[in-house]
Amino acid sequence: MGKIIAVIIVSCLFISKIQAQYSLADKSATEETKTLYQNLAKQARKGFMFGHQDDLAYGIGWRNIDGESDVKKVSGEYPAVFGWDLGHLELDSTKNLDGVPFEKIKAYIQQVHAQGGVNTITWHLRNPVNGKSAWDVDSTVKHILVGGKKYSVYESWLAKVATFLGNLKDKQGKAIPVIFRPFHEHNGSWFWWGKKHCSPDEYKELYQHLVRYMASKNVHNLIYAYSTDYFSDEKDYFERYPNDQFVDILGFDIYHRNAPQSNERFIQDVDRMLNSIENYAQKHHKLTAITETGLEQITEKNWWTDILLKSIGGHKISYVLVWRNGRPDHYYAPYPNQLSAENFKYFIQQPHIFLERKTKTSKLYQKQPIAKKK
Ligand code: BMA
């Protein structure tokens, strides 16, 4: 009996410590958003969630079929984390840049939330200066900062995103918390917000402005993720870091290319990069994640256990997300009979890997009760 009481007291102290430490960048975040963040912090000590971009929207050989998911077809359950992209919302298009209707994205986000999973959102927005794609790298950032000649265009786009995010509501009408990951892979130079196209200060200003803007529009259901692409060291990673007051999750995108020659290299890179960010994250009470990864067409039969799992090792990350199953030559999650499908089933049996079922037991959206002080 005494032992049970001691365990309860220790867990309550632990929960209250997490609640005190893991506070969000948005100081006016909704209770539900704060709860999700704290529960994610708690869950990360036990294991990491598996995620997939656009998982419910399409896969190899199918599109827009209710209930369908390549991950589910292989493993019997949905992923825990689902990525969505808002590119082309700024154009008032009904579909995003990969052809997924925004109305559907909204419904998928509601479904994921109802099943206890987590949604993460990116935005491959067009270039506000010339209207071309996110990959058009004409000098842009300086023109869309407050006072810039294209600020009003950019601001009108931000307003649309704020409306979309703020309108993500559950059945009770409460805002659904989501992880928002704007201006990602910015230490590369393929997007207009990339390294060669703006100074570190301009990038920081762009990111900080977005965070302030969302709050000014009463959008308080966002957990902010900062994610670079591959980086060589901490200097590279933090060069454009907007600051602790604007970021909740530290992550990075890393793709495995040129397998099998680069297999060992990939494992070492992921391990090194996680080492680089987790020290900082622990001290500053942030979460860590591999925000995008994958080996296109998963050409390694045992990629999941021998490469991805190995690369994560004992690191305490919140989640790892693989990119979309967009085309037969461009996919990152297995589908039935795909070369790595059997290995994927084995991978997800590891006790510290969470898909839909285990994540549900973490009750990520429920406040953990804390014993009242006497
Ligand atoms: C890239 C590719 C593109 C896609 C873009 C945004 O990595 O998958 O085909 O349009 O992401 O989702």
Side-chain angles (χ1 to χ4, degrees):
M1 187 66 179
K3 230 181 185 177
I4 298 176
I5 293 173
V7 169
I8 294 174
I9 292 173
V10 169
S11 354
C12 289
L13 286 174
F14 174 63
I15 293 167
S16 58
K17 199 171 158 209
I18 285 199
Q19 287 184 354
Q21 289 177 335
Y22 283 82
S23 65
L24 287 164
D26 177 5
K27 295 300 165 222
S28 306
T30 64
E31 278 308 309
E32 290 75 22
T33 312
K34 290 183 196 162
T35 299
L36 173 61
Y37 189 55
Q38 285 154 3
N39 287 340
L40 286 174
K42 203 172 136 227
Q43 185 185 248
R45 296 174 191 232
K46 292 189 270 172
F48 64 86
M49 297 180 287
F50 175 78
H52 185 211
Q53 183 75 7
D54 280 349
D55 185 80
L56 302 170
Y58 54 81
I60 298 303
W62 64 275
R63 197 171 184 96
N64 194 11
I65 303 178
D66 279 351
E68 203 77 303
S69 149
D70 280 348
V71 168
K72 190 174 181 188
K73 280 202 267 190
V74 169
S75 70
E77 59 179 317
Y78 289 118
V81 176
F82 297 74
W84 310 108
D85 196 274
L86 300 185
H88 291 189
L89 187 70
E90 68 278 9
L91 305 178
D92 289 323
S93 163
T94 56
K95 292 179 177 173
N96 85 348
L97 79 167
D98 297 315
V100 188
F102 288 109
E103 274 311 306
K104 279 284 189 183
I105 294 183
K106 204 170 176 182
Y108 294 141
I109 289 173
Q110 288 164 333
Q111 177 188 332
V112 168
H113 173 255
Q115 69 193 31
V118 177
N119 292 288
T120 167
I121 295 179
T122 38
W123 185 23
H124 285 83
L125 69 162
R126 290 223 169 165
N127 182 326
V129 168
N130 60 21
K132 294 183 186 167
S133 84
W135 291 265
D136 181 281
V137 294
D138 251 12
S139 142
T140 296
V141 176
K142 61 173 179 287
H143 299 305
I144 64 169
L145 296 175
V146 177
K149 65 176 186 191
K150 291 286 178 179
Y151 175 71
S152 62
V153 174
Y154 173 60
E155 195 271 339
S156 71
W157 292 6
L158 272 183
K160 292 174 197 183
V161 169
T163 303
F164 183 90
L165 295 172
N167 281 340
L168 297 170
K169 300 271 171 71
D170 67 12
K171 282 204 177 115
Q172 282 75 44
K174 288 202 169 152
I176 297 174
V178 297
I179 297 170
F180 191 33
R181 189 165 69 91
F183 306 121
H184 63 301
E185 299 180 0
H186 57 281
N187 65 332
S189 295
W190 41 91
F191 296 129
W192 55 256
W193 54 86
K195 189 170 180 158
K196 284 196 189 137
H197 320 299
C198 60
S199 68
D201 281 347
E202 284 168 344
Y203 180 82
K204 288 181 201 173
E205 179 59 33
L206 180 72
Y207 195 111
Q208 293 170 352
H209 170 267
L210 179 143
V211 176
R212 288 199 199 97
Y213 184 89
M214 293 299 158
S216 78
K217 295 285 170 188
N218 285 321
V219 180
H220 294 301
N221 53 331
L222 306 179
I223 294 175
Y224 287 95
Y226 168 82
S227 78
T228 63
D229 197 72
Y230 172 89
F231 58 90
S232 48
D233 53 24
E234 280 153 54
K235 190 167 163 272
D236 185 4
Y237 185 81
F238 286 105
E239 187 193 46
R240 285 152 197 259
Y241 183 58
N243 236 326
D244 283 354
Q245 296 95 298
F246 299 89
V247 172
D248 304 306
I249 297 181
L250 303 183
F252 55 80
D253 296 0
I254 180 166
Y255 282 89
H256 183 185
R257 298 192 175 91
N258 304 322
Q261 297 89 314
S262 59
N263 290 359
E264 280 311 310
R265 177 76 205 268
F266 177 82
I267 296 169
Q268 283 164 18
D269 280 342
V270 173
D271 178 46
R272 172 184 58 75
M273 289 161 79
L274 286 173
N275 269 328
S276 292
I277 61 175
E278 72 196 357
N279 253 341
Y280 187 95
Q282 261 166 27
K283 278 195 210 128
H284 297 241
H285 306 296
K286 308 287 175 197
L287 302 183
T288 59
I290 302 179
T291 41
E292 275 182 45
T293 189
L295 168 65
E296 195 176 51
Q297 296 182 42
I298 327 163
T299 50
E300 291 293 294
K301 200 167 184 264
N302 294 332
W303 191 75
W304 303 98
T305 55
D306 291 5
I307 298 180
L308 184 62
L309 189 60
K310 233 182 176 180
S311 74
I312 297 171
H315 294 287
K316 301 262 185 267
I317 61 172
S318 176
Y319 67 91
V320 56
L321 178 137
V322 296
W323 203 238
R324 65 196 201 100
N325 281 11
R327 300 183 305 264
D329 65 330
H330 183 58
Y331 65 85
Y332 297 88
Y335 54 87
N337 300 322
Q338 196 275 334
L339 179 71
S340 72
E342 284 310 308
N343 184 246
F344 183 76
K345 286 193 222 167
Y346 186 67
F347 166 76
I348 63 160
Q349 279 167 24
Q350 311 306 308
H352 67 298
I353 300 183
F354 290 37
L355 270 74
E356 178 202 358
R357 289 193 202 115
K358 272 188 249 163
T359 303
K360 205 174 259 165
T361 66
S362 294
K363 300 194 171 105
L364 291 175
Y365 297 94
Q366 263 178 46
K367 216 178 172 107
Q368 308 289 321
I370 303 182
K372 288 202 183 86
K373 277 189 192 145
K374 285 201 177 142

